[in-house]
Amino acid sequence: MNDIKVAIIGLGYVGLPLARLFATKYNTIGFDINENRIKELKSGVDSTLEVEEELLRSVLIDTPAEEKGLYITNQLDDLKNSNYFVITVPTPVDKNNRPDLTPLYKASETVGKVIKRGDIVIYESTVYPGATEEDCIPIVEKVSNLKFNEDFFAGYSPERINPGDKEHTVEKILKVTSGSTPEAGVKVNELYKSVITAGTHLAPTIKVAEAAKVIENSQRDINIAFVNELAKIFNLMDINTHDVLEAAGTKWNFLPFKPGLVGGHCIGVDPYYLAQKAQEYGYHPEIILAGRRLNDSMGDYVASQVVKCMIRQSVKVNGAEILMLGVTFKENCPDVRNTKIVDVIKALEDYKTDITTFDPWANPEEVQHEYGILSYQDLEMGKKFDAIVLGVAHDEFKDLDIESLKKENAVVYDVKGMLQGAVEGRL
């Protein structure tokens, strides 16, 4: 495998850790169209915080011709000597929750311009079953003028990156692999097997691998929807949901899911990919879409619960000053993609409240650009609030002096069940 040269297309939360890993063994080209991203990575800085500065710098190389290491570029010509092209671009949904494969199409065009006979293109982006061979490969064929499974081949190895998780890093998570032919599958599997210490699982077809990925997150989505529904029921009964789950969790086979806001780039998105494909086959997926509807409604539900708590505490809602703790989609991570905290903020603003968003992890410029929301990485000293909503369980919030931030009769609402002591509301 000494002649392997890997190109990673897309250097975000998935692509960069994978590129860093391949670079420890192979000549690896990291390609991205974002010039600012290229500049920061070349300087050894990763703003996503997925790859530590020392680790990134240890694999960076200055020219694309070295035997191993990571060369960062936005120049198409630098990809031409690669023989494995791994596509790791986002696969979002649009405002109507329909799959948006535009980044995947663009990346396929990019590969089509540089792929050669005998090369393999591997997709890692989450898609519905069939997308790789039916939607993406025809683009590579058209641009390259090469014939699929004769001149070039394909693979699919779904990403299993968990943003912010420093324990389950890419090499420590078992990798599903697949190929467009049995021979291609073996090659793809051997490539990943050479760097993934946790091992690999070679699926029989690309469609099987695609389906396996999309149901991983759909399963989590449905389970979280179930406990979110339980939280709504138990709140009506004046029962602490977290106490119920703790008691139920004493049974060996009880699944430890907790209620919450389901955002991010995977769990809150992937079920829509599977649902759309199912509908194309004439099947309406009731459980999957019901889970999505319930989880997508939780932002409005949390806002309404906060307002009810404020009314019970005789806090005037109109014009109330509310502190939102956290805006990223999960704890201890700067990722704000598809964060459902935004739904809570927008719903509270509909009540004519004044929201201050504090998140030491989130980039304020990114939050402003994506959602038009002002967020701060530091709190104004001495300011007090009518209500405080803990939306994200960042470690920094564990030591925050909540009492010093409260006005008289102020409400504290804990979405994550993280705060100790008395609070006026919990999800």
mmCIF file of all heavy atoms in Angstrom, residues 112 115-121 137-154 180-181:
data_model
loop_
_atom_site.group_PDB
_atom_site.id
_atom_site.type_symbol
_atom_site.label_atom_id
_atom_site.label_comp_id
_atom_site.label_asym_id
_atom_site.label_seq_id
_atom_site.Cartn_x
_atom_site.Cartn_y
_atom_site.Cartn_z
ATOM 1 N N GLY A 112 -14.391 14.722 -10.227
ATOM 2 C CA GLY A 112 -14.481 14.376 -11.642
ATOM 3 C C GLY A 112 -13.430 15.060 -12.494
ATOM 4 O O GLY A 112 -13.013 14.522 -13.531
ATOM 5 N N ILE A 115 -9.919 12.851 -11.245
ATOM 6 C CA ILE A 115 -9.841 11.403 -11.092
ATOM 7 C C ILE A 115 -9.283 10.750 -12.346
ATOM 8 O O ILE A 115 -9.495 11.236 -13.466
ATOM 9 C CB ILE A 115 -11.235 10.821 -10.731
ATOM 10 C CG1 ILE A 115 -11.106 9.423 -10.138
ATOM 11 C CG2 ILE A 115 -12.164 10.843 -11.951
ATOM 12 C CD1 ILE A 115 -12.405 8.907 -9.511
ATOM 13 N N LYS A 116 -8.545 9.654 -12.168
ATOM 14 C CA LYS A 116 -7.882 8.952 -13.269
ATOM 15 C C LYS A 116 -8.317 7.486 -13.303
ATOM 16 O O LYS A 116 -8.980 7.007 -12.373
ATOM 17 C CB LYS A 116 -6.359 9.009 -13.091
ATOM 18 C CG LYS A 116 -5.804 10.395 -12.833
ATOM 19 C CD LYS A 116 -4.324 10.349 -12.533
ATOM 20 C CE LYS A 116 -3.967 9.532 -11.301
ATOM 21 N NZ LYS A 116 -4.595 10.051 -10.064
ATOM 22 N N ARG A 117 -7.916 6.797 -14.335
ATOM 23 C CA ARG A 117 -8.213 5.369 -14.432
ATOM 24 C C ARG A 117 -7.582 4.620 -13.255
ATOM 25 O O ARG A 117 -6.413 4.819 -12.943
ATOM 26 C CB ARG A 117 -7.707 4.801 -15.759
ATOM 27 C CG ARG A 117 -8.612 5.148 -16.920
ATOM 28 C CD ARG A 117 -8.126 4.532 -18.227
ATOM 29 N NE ARG A 117 -9.116 4.716 -19.284
ATOM 30 C CZ ARG A 117 -9.265 5.830 -19.991
ATOM 31 N NH1 ARG A 117 -8.475 6.871 -19.731
ATOM 32 N NH2 ARG A 117 -10.192 5.920 -20.927
ATOM 33 N N GLY A 118 -8.395 3.754 -12.648
ATOM 34 C CA GLY A 118 -7.916 2.966 -11.519
ATOM 35 C C GLY A 118 -8.128 3.607 -10.165
ATOM 36 O O GLY A 118 -7.944 2.960 -9.130
ATOM 37 N N ASP A 119 -8.532 4.879 -10.146
ATOM 38 C CA ASP A 119 -8.724 5.584 -8.878
ATOM 39 C C ASP A 119 -10.045 5.193 -8.220
ATOM 40 O O ASP A 119 -10.948 4.649 -8.866
ATOM 41 C CB ASP A 119 -8.715 7.107 -9.093
ATOM 42 C CG ASP A 119 -7.325 7.633 -9.466
ATOM 43 O OD1 ASP A 119 -6.362 6.839 -9.399
ATOM 44 O OD2 ASP A 119 -7.225 8.817 -9.809
ATOM 45 N N ILE A 120 -10.129 5.490 -6.922
ATOM 46 C CA ILE A 120 -11.343 5.203 -6.151
ATOM 47 C C ILE A 120 -11.810 6.476 -5.447
ATOM 48 O O ILE A 120 -11.009 7.166 -4.810
ATOM 49 C CB ILE A 120 -11.094 4.099 -5.099
ATOM 50 C CG1 ILE A 120 -10.743 2.776 -5.793
ATOM 51 C CG2 ILE A 120 -12.320 3.906 -4.202
ATOM 52 C CD1 ILE A 120 -10.442 1.629 -4.829
ATOM 53 N N VAL A 121 -13.103 6.768 -5.566
ATOM 54 C CA VAL A 121 -13.702 7.881 -4.829
ATOM 55 C C VAL A 121 -14.567 7.299 -3.722
ATOM 56 O O VAL A 121 -15.367 6.395 -3.954
ATOM 57 C CB VAL A 121 -14.522 8.816 -5.750
ATOM 58 C CG1 VAL A 121 -15.584 8.059 -6.534
ATOM 59 C CG2 VAL A 121 -15.166 9.941 -4.933
ATOM 60 N N ILE A 137 -22.187 9.489 -8.383
ATOM 61 C CA ILE A 137 -21.278 8.876 -9.355
ATOM 62 C C ILE A 137 -21.549 9.334 -10.794
ATOM 63 O O ILE A 137 -20.608 9.565 -11.564
ATOM 64 C CB ILE A 137 -21.319 7.339 -9.244
ATOM 65 C CG1 ILE A 137 -20.703 6.884 -7.922
ATOM 66 C CG2 ILE A 137 -20.591 6.690 -10.415
ATOM 67 C CD1 ILE A 137 -19.283 7.351 -7.681
ATOM 68 N N PRO A 138 -22.823 9.495 -11.218
ATOM 69 C CA PRO A 138 -23.053 9.993 -12.578
ATOM 70 C C PRO A 138 -22.402 11.355 -12.836
ATOM 71 O O PRO A 138 -22.001 11.641 -13.972
ATOM 72 C CB PRO A 138 -24.584 10.086 -12.660
ATOM 73 C CG PRO A 138 -25.073 9.028 -11.722
ATOM 74 C CD PRO A 138 -24.098 9.065 -10.581
ATOM 75 N N ILE A 139 -22.292 12.171 -11.799
ATOM 76 C CA ILE A 139 -21.627 13.476 -11.953
ATOM 77 C C ILE A 139 -20.135 13.270 -12.193
ATOM 78 O O ILE A 139 -19.534 13.903 -13.064
ATOM 79 C CB ILE A 139 -21.859 14.350 -10.700
ATOM 80 C CG1 ILE A 139 -23.345 14.681 -10.564
ATOM 81 C CG2 ILE A 139 -21.025 15.632 -10.763
ATOM 82 C CD1 ILE A 139 -23.698 15.401 -9.274
ATOM 83 N N VAL A 140 -19.519 12.361 -11.429
ATOM 84 C CA VAL A 140 -18.097 12.060 -11.610
ATOM 85 C C VAL A 140 -17.866 11.512 -13.011
ATOM 86 O O VAL A 140 -16.908 11.896 -13.697
ATOM 87 C CB VAL A 140 -17.611 11.045 -10.552
ATOM 88 C CG1 VAL A 140 -16.130 10.725 -10.765
ATOM 89 C CG2 VAL A 140 -17.833 11.584 -9.136
ATOM 90 N N GLU A 141 -18.757 10.621 -13.459
ATOM 91 C CA GLU A 141 -18.652 10.056 -14.815
ATOM 92 C C GLU A 141 -18.704 11.144 -15.874
ATOM 93 O O GLU A 141 -17.878 11.178 -16.795
ATOM 94 C CB GLU A 141 -19.793 9.059 -15.055
ATOM 95 C CG GLU A 141 -19.549 7.663 -14.540
ATOM 96 C CD GLU A 141 -20.597 6.692 -15.042
ATOM 97 O OE1 GLU A 141 -21.798 6.965 -14.891
ATOM 98 O OE2 GLU A 141 -20.212 5.643 -15.600
ATOM 99 N N LYS A 142 -19.694 12.016 -15.755
ATOM 100 C CA LYS A 142 -19.901 13.054 -16.757
ATOM 101 C C LYS A 142 -18.720 14.001 -16.847
ATOM 102 O O LYS A 142 -18.252 14.333 -17.952
ATOM 103 C CB LYS A 142 -21.182 13.833 -16.432
ATOM 104 C CG LYS A 142 -21.508 14.916 -17.443
ATOM 105 C CD LYS A 142 -22.808 15.619 -17.086
ATOM 106 C CE LYS A 142 -23.116 16.712 -18.120
ATOM 107 N NZ LYS A 142 -24.375 17.430 -17.785
ATOM 108 N N VAL A 143 -18.209 14.441 -15.719
ATOM 109 C CA VAL A 143 -17.116 15.420 -15.711
ATOM 110 C C VAL A 143 -15.796 14.785 -16.142
ATOM 111 O O VAL A 143 -15.005 15.387 -16.867
ATOM 112 C CB VAL A 143 -16.975 16.057 -14.309
ATOM 113 C CG1 VAL A 143 -15.759 16.977 -14.253
ATOM 114 C CG2 VAL A 143 -18.242 16.824 -13.940
ATOM 115 N N SER A 144 -15.576 13.537 -15.730
ATOM 116 C CA SER A 144 -14.289 12.882 -16.010
ATOM 117 C C SER A 144 -14.229 12.194 -17.366
ATOM 118 O O SER A 144 -13.134 11.902 -17.875
ATOM 119 C CB SER A 144 -14.009 11.837 -14.928
ATOM 120 O OG SER A 144 -14.957 10.771 -15.011
ATOM 121 N N ASN A 145 -15.406 11.889 -17.958
ATOM 122 C CA ASN A 145 -15.486 11.092 -19.180
ATOM 123 C C ASN A 145 -14.937 9.676 -18.976
ATOM 124 O O ASN A 145 -14.466 9.029 -19.917
ATOM 125 C CB ASN A 145 -14.742 11.766 -20.345
ATOM 126 C CG ASN A 145 -15.489 12.989 -20.849
ATOM 127 O OD1 ASN A 145 -16.707 12.974 -20.988
ATOM 128 N ND2 ASN A 145 -14.740 14.066 -21.103
ATOM 129 N N LEU A 146 -14.992 9.223 -17.714
ATOM 130 C CA LEU A 146 -14.580 7.862 -17.398
ATOM 131 C C LEU A 146 -15.813 7.023 -17.061
ATOM 132 O O LEU A 146 -16.830 7.559 -16.644
ATOM 133 C CB LEU A 146 -13.621 7.859 -16.202
ATOM 134 C CG LEU A 146 -12.295 8.589 -16.384
ATOM 135 C CD1 LEU A 146 -11.509 8.577 -15.077
ATOM 136 C CD2 LEU A 146 -11.467 7.979 -17.510
ATOM 137 N N LYS A 147 -15.694 5.699 -17.233
ATOM 138 C CA LYS A 147 -16.835 4.820 -16.993
ATOM 139 C C LYS A 147 -16.716 4.173 -15.609
ATOM 140 O O LYS A 147 -15.689 3.607 -15.246
ATOM 141 C CB LYS A 147 -16.932 3.749 -18.081
ATOM 142 C CG LYS A 147 -18.253 2.972 -18.033
ATOM 143 C CD LYS A 147 -18.490 2.244 -19.335
ATOM 144 C CE LYS A 147 -19.836 1.522 -19.322
ATOM 145 N NZ LYS A 147 -20.981 2.443 -19.170
ATOM 146 N N PHE A 148 -17.822 4.279 -14.863
ATOM 147 C CA PHE A 148 -17.895 3.743 -13.501
ATOM 148 C C PHE A 148 -17.755 2.223 -13.505
ATOM 149 O O PHE A 148 -18.348 1.537 -14.334
ATOM 150 C CB PHE A 148 -19.229 4.168 -12.883
ATOM 151 C CG PHE A 148 -19.471 3.670 -11.485
ATOM 152 C CD1 PHE A 148 -18.496 3.772 -10.511
ATOM 153 C CD2 PHE A 148 -20.698 3.108 -11.133
ATOM 154 C CE1 PHE A 148 -18.726 3.320 -9.213
ATOM 155 C CE2 PHE A 148 -20.941 2.659 -9.845
ATOM 156 C CZ PHE A 148 -19.946 2.759 -8.882
ATOM 157 N N ASN A 149 -16.973 1.720 -12.584
ATOM 158 C CA ASN A 149 -16.697 0.292 -12.387
ATOM 159 C C ASN A 149 -15.936 -0.351 -13.537
ATOM 160 O O ASN A 149 -15.780 -1.577 -13.574
ATOM 161 C CB ASN A 149 -17.976 -0.507 -12.095
ATOM 162 C CG ASN A 149 -18.405 -0.373 -10.642
ATOM 163 O OD1 ASN A 149 -17.612 -0.004 -9.776
ATOM 164 N ND2 ASN A 149 -19.666 -0.663 -10.377
ATOM 165 N N GLU A 150 -15.462 0.479 -14.448
ATOM 166 C CA GLU A 150 -14.519 0.021 -15.465
ATOM 167 C C GLU A 150 -13.227 0.838 -15.383
ATOM 168 O O GLU A 150 -12.144 0.288 -15.247
ATOM 169 C CB GLU A 150 -15.122 0.122 -16.875
ATOM 170 C CG GLU A 150 -16.245 -0.877 -17.137
ATOM 171 C CD GLU A 150 -16.746 -0.816 -18.566
ATOM 172 O OE1 GLU A 150 -16.043 -0.219 -19.413
ATOM 173 O OE2 GLU A 150 -17.840 -1.352 -18.827
ATOM 174 N N ASP A 151 -13.402 2.164 -15.435
ATOM 175 C CA ASP A 151 -12.237 3.060 -15.365
ATOM 176 C C ASP A 151 -11.938 3.515 -13.934
ATOM 177 O O ASP A 151 -10.780 3.680 -13.562
ATOM 178 C CB ASP A 151 -12.473 4.297 -16.246
ATOM 179 C CG ASP A 151 -12.677 3.934 -17.700
ATOM 180 O OD1 ASP A 151 -11.982 3.011 -18.171
ATOM 181 O OD2 ASP A 151 -13.528 4.554 -18.363
ATOM 182 N N PHE A 152 -12.976 3.750 -13.156
ATOM 183 C CA PHE A 152 -12.784 4.148 -11.757
ATOM 184 C C PHE A 152 -13.846 3.450 -10.903
ATOM 185 O O PHE A 152 -14.832 2.905 -11.416
ATOM 186 C CB PHE A 152 -12.871 5.671 -11.596
ATOM 187 C CG PHE A 152 -14.273 6.225 -11.682
ATOM 188 C CD1 PHE A 152 -15.020 6.480 -10.536
ATOM 189 C CD2 PHE A 152 -14.872 6.492 -12.918
ATOM 190 C CE1 PHE A 152 -16.315 6.974 -10.600
ATOM 191 C CE2 PHE A 152 -16.160 6.995 -13.000
ATOM 192 C CZ PHE A 152 -16.887 7.238 -11.837
ATOM 193 N N PHE A 153 -13.642 3.479 -9.600
ATOM 194 C CA PHE A 153 -14.510 2.745 -8.686
ATOM 195 C C PHE A 153 -14.913 3.653 -7.519
ATOM 196 O O PHE A 153 -14.413 4.763 -7.370
ATOM 197 C CB PHE A 153 -13.790 1.486 -8.191
ATOM 198 C CG PHE A 153 -13.343 0.588 -9.308
ATOM 199 C CD1 PHE A 153 -12.099 0.789 -9.908
ATOM 200 C CD2 PHE A 153 -14.162 -0.416 -9.778
ATOM 201 C CE1 PHE A 153 -11.693 -0.013 -10.963
ATOM 202 C CE2 PHE A 153 -13.765 -1.216 -10.841
ATOM 203 C CZ PHE A 153 -12.529 -1.021 -11.437
ATOM 204 N N ALA A 154 -15.839 3.149 -6.710
ATOM 205 C CA ALA A 154 -16.346 3.973 -5.604
ATOM 206 C C ALA A 154 -16.435 3.158 -4.328
ATOM 207 O O ALA A 154 -16.461 1.924 -4.344
ATOM 208 C CB ALA A 154 -17.725 4.548 -5.949
ATOM 209 N N SER A 180 -17.978 -0.444 -4.630
ATOM 210 C CA SER A 180 -18.909 -0.618 -5.752
ATOM 211 C C SER A 180 -18.728 -1.962 -6.446
ATOM 212 O O SER A 180 -19.594 -2.392 -7.215
ATOM 213 C CB SER A 180 -18.728 0.522 -6.759
ATOM 214 O OG SER A 180 -17.369 0.616 -7.182
ATOM 215 N N THR A 181 -17.602 -2.620 -6.207
ATOM 216 C CA THR A 181 -17.373 -4.002 -6.631
ATOM 217 C C THR A 181 -16.725 -4.720 -5.447
ATOM 218 O O THR A 181 -16.186 -4.074 -4.543
ATOM 219 C CB THR A 181 -16.427 -4.096 -7.851
ATOM 220 O OG1 THR A 181 -15.123 -3.646 -7.448
ATOM 221 C CG2 THR A 181 -16.930 -3.250 -9.016
#
